[in-house]
Amino acid sequence: MTFKIRPDRKETENKTIRFPLELVGKIEKAIEGKGVTFSGFVIQACEYALDNMDDSKNNE
């Protein structure tokens, strides 16, 4: 399954998180012209990561 950027969703809760500046730059470049916010991208990336985790490693 590939990661595809989708438009933003609505129901949210505020969380504070720090990102390395280099990562911020890479994300901003990736979302440029895609109609998605930084937060929207991070949410989608987290969902993708969770959906594609190797669950066998969590049981160790």
Side-chain angles (χ1 to χ4, degrees), residues 27-45:
I27 293 170
E28 288 176 342
K29 186 175 181 179
I31 64 175
E32 192 173 297
K34 300 281 194 312
V36 66
T37 63
F38 186 93
S39 293
F41 176 86
V42 171
I43 290 166
Q44 292 175 55

Side-chain angles (χ1 to χ4, degrees), residues 3-42:
F3 178 71
K4 295 183 181 180
I5 300 173
R6 301 181 314 264
D8 288 334
R9 294 181 175 182
K10 295 296 176 208
E11 297 177 41
T12 62
E13 179 178 334
N14 287 334
K15 295 289 182 184
T16 302
I17 184 169
R18 296 180 186 272
F19 288 86
L21 293 178
E22 183 177 344
L23 181 57
V24 169
K26 288 179 180 180
I27 293 170
E28 288 176 342
K29 186 175 181 179
I31 64 175
E32 192 173 297
K34 300 281 194 312
V36 66
T37 63
F38 186 93
S39 293
F41 176 86
V42 171

